[in-house]
Amino acid sequence: MLHQFFGGVHPAEHKDLTEHKATAPLAEAPAQVVIPMSMHVGAPCKPVVAVGDEVKVGQLIGETAGLGAPIHASVSGKVVAVEPRIHGGGGMMMSVVIENDFQDTPDPSIQRRANVEALTGAEIIEIVKNAGITGMGGAGFPTHVKLSGAVGKVDTLILNGAECEPYITSDHRLMLERGDAVIGGARLMAKAVGLKEATIGIELNKPDAIEHLKTLVGSAGDVHIEGLKTRYPQGAEKQLIQMCTGRQVPPGKLPADVKCCVCNVATAAAVYDAVMEGKPLTQRGVTLTGGALAEPMNVMAPVGTPVSHLIKLAGGFKTDPDRVLYGGPMMGNPIFNLDVPMMKSTNCILCMTTEEAADQDPAQTCIRCGKCVEACPMHLTPLFMRMNTNKRRWSEVEALRVMDCIECGSCNYICPARLPLVQSFRTAKFEIRELAAKEKAAREAKEAAKA
Ligand code: SF4
Ligand code: SF4
């Protein structure tokens, strides 16, 4: 039985721009890829190649240094730089730059695996780790860490096929075009965490994907396909859990605290490719869309492809974009320099016209309408959080549970005064974390002085 989550909004979908466009290989491969050593939650990887090295597709080029996921070459060719480059997340990041030889020579380690049935859960997790798989729905959390943390603790594995962000259709296309990999990945991940079943949640605005996956599962019945009433932010982890199981993740807690593990459908397909074919994560489906783009499309692109190259392949801009984002309009991050590369978690490059960017009107004053409170799926009070953020009253903002904000942007969307609410909350979270770090350092210094 399906449940409901609190709040949420219904932004215009704009998925018609690309939802019927099959994921195409790049018409022209990039001459160079720039692969950042951090595309995941955790410590950046350490480069293990040097300028002048010849590399093959799938060869290890960055090894983990703590929590993280290894990084592999996405094209074959020659390493021409190992240096800090502009990073999509802002600032500079150590990157490996590879000049493409256009041969796509695979690394010899990539071999189809025999006897997959005999793999244990721990062995599957080890393969996922070595393949450098990270959450492909946006967050970039190392998948092996998520899976190993779930072993023995969860009774439900949910795959997120909701794709609730407007404009984005890369997961929709994946489920239609590679449904076997999604279902196969779901089974492998279920085995990895010690379960026999998995659930895939898909919004009802993708009836063809729901039907297709149901047909693929057939009478096996071990992967449940749940159609979910379309509402943003359906695909947020806590909201998806509530929809599929009725369980509520308490503030400050994790899905595992309610015995759930949530991964993205694209992550499941990457797990399938790693286990069955021995392929590390080096490419992914990306939606190139928005009214400013001449030919919106879905493409399969090597990690590290410059955003400018992808935009060129989509016909370039037909009009000056108001903004270009990694991701959708609700949770996406602005791209200020088109030379930045697409990363493992890049599911969309959105190029919006001024008309599409709904928040063009200047911000006005809060009229205390309460709509942001009604829309917040985390039961927060955005108007009071913003008021206290503006006054830099960090303890009050923290008491209002700003740290539970999932930055879904529903409050921004609904606010008639066009207030930049979610932007305030990002600032508040940063300030609160900084303050906590300073207090901790001061405490430790005091303790050290006493000793
Ligand atoms: S306060 Fe945070 S969680 Fe609530 S609607 Fe706004 S962005 Fe979403
Ligand atoms: S929706 Fe905007 S105007 Fe209405 S109470 Fe919230 S912050 Fe104020």
Side-chain angles (χ1 to χ4, degrees), residues 10-26:
H10 292 95
E13 293 181 6
H14 298 289
K15 290 182 187 271
D16 52 327
L17 287 169
T18 56
E19 67 189 332
H20 300 301
K21 297 194 176 169
T23 313
L26 287 188

Side-chain angles (χ1 to χ4, degrees), residues 365-373 382-384 386 411 414-419 421:
T365 310
C366 173
I367 54 170
R368 304 273 175 134
C369 65
K371 287 187 175 175
C372 55
V373 180
L383 77 162
F384 295 124
R386 179 172 185 274
C411 52
I414 208 77
C415 176
R418 302 268 175 243
L419 296 173
L421 297 162

Side-chain angles (χ1 to χ4, degrees), residues 20-91:
H20 300 301
K21 297 194 176 169
T23 313
L26 287 188
E28 184 191 322
Q32 266 193 2
V33 291
V34 178
I35 306 183
M37 290 293 100
S38 181
M39 294 185 274
H40 50 256
V41 172
C45 284
K46 226 172 64 197
V48 293
V49 288
V51 173
D53 287 357
E54 296 286 341
V55 292
K56 299 188 169 69
V57 180
Q59 181 178 332
L60 183 76
I61 58 168
E63 64 182 19
T64 48
L67 173 70
I71 293 171
H72 304 78
S74 58
V75 298
S76 58
K78 186 190 268 190
V79 175
V80 291
V82 180
E83 62 189 22
R85 290 285 181 105
I86 300 169
H87 186 245

Side-chain angles (χ1 to χ4, degrees), residues 58-306:
Q59 181 178 332
L60 183 76
I61 58 168
E63 64 182 19
T64 48
L67 173 70
I71 293 171
H72 304 78
S74 58
V75 298
S76 58
K78 186 190 268 190
V79 175
V80 291
V82 180
E83 62 189 22
R85 290 285 181 105
I86 300 169
H87 186 245
M92 305 292 277
M93 171 57 60
M94 180 58 70
S95 304
V96 172
V97 184
I98 305 169
E99 197 170 83
N100 195 352
D101 64 8
F102 301 101
Q103 299 302 307
D104 279 337
T105 313
D107 191 72
S109 63
I110 298 176
Q111 298 286 340
R112 191 170 169 75
R113 193 168 269 104
N115 215 3
V116 169
E117 289 298 313
L119 290 172
T120 64
E123 285 167 340
I124 292 171
I125 293 175
E126 191 61 19
I127 293 168
V128 170
K129 179 181 176 182
N130 293 333
I133 298 172
T134 55
M136 291 171 75
F141 195 79
T143 303
H144 70 276
V145 179
K146 188 177 264 193
L147 294 178
S148 52
V151 177
K153 294 198 187 113
V154 306
D155 61 16
T156 306
L157 170 68
I158 302 171
L159 292 192
N160 183 358
E163 201 165 56
C164 60
E165 266 267 0
Y167 289 92
I168 309 177
T169 61
S170 55
D171 283 352
H172 184 182
R173 294 308 314 176
L174 173 82
M175 290 187 281
L176 288 175
E177 294 160 17
R178 300 208 57 218
D180 53 341
V182 173
I183 300 291
R187 288 178 175 139
L188 289 164
M189 291 165 104
K191 184 172 182 184
V193 298
L195 301 177
K196 295 199 176 335
E197 297 185 352
T199 297
I200 304 181
I202 305 173
E203 284 201 329
L204 289 169
N205 59 2
K206 297 178 260 300
D208 47 358
I210 294 172
E211 278 318 303
H212 181 56
L213 294 191
K214 277 186 176 169
T215 306
L216 288 175
V217 175
S219 58
D222 55 344
V223 181
H224 310 285
I225 312 300
E226 296 285 8
L228 312 172
K229 202 171 155 202
T230 305
R231 188 155 56 121
Y232 182 87
Q234 186 95 245
E237 208 167 55
K238 292 180 179 179
Q239 282 61 39
L240 191 61
I241 290 172
Q242 190 166 0
M243 284 299 287
C244 292
T245 68
R247 300 173 198 170
Q248 287 194 47
V249 183
K253 298 288 182 189
L254 297 169
D257 293 309
V258 294
K259 295 184 173 295
C260 289
C261 176
V262 182
C263 294
N264 182 265
V265 285
T267 312
V271 167
Y272 183 82
D273 291 342
V275 174
M276 305 301 289
E277 309 285 342
K279 287 184 182 165
L281 177 52
T282 61
Q283 58 171 10
R284 64 158 303 147
V286 193
T287 302
L288 310 175
T289 189
L293 214 49
E295 295 167 37
M297 57 175 65
N298 282 296
V299 292
M300 183 59 66
V303 168
T305 303

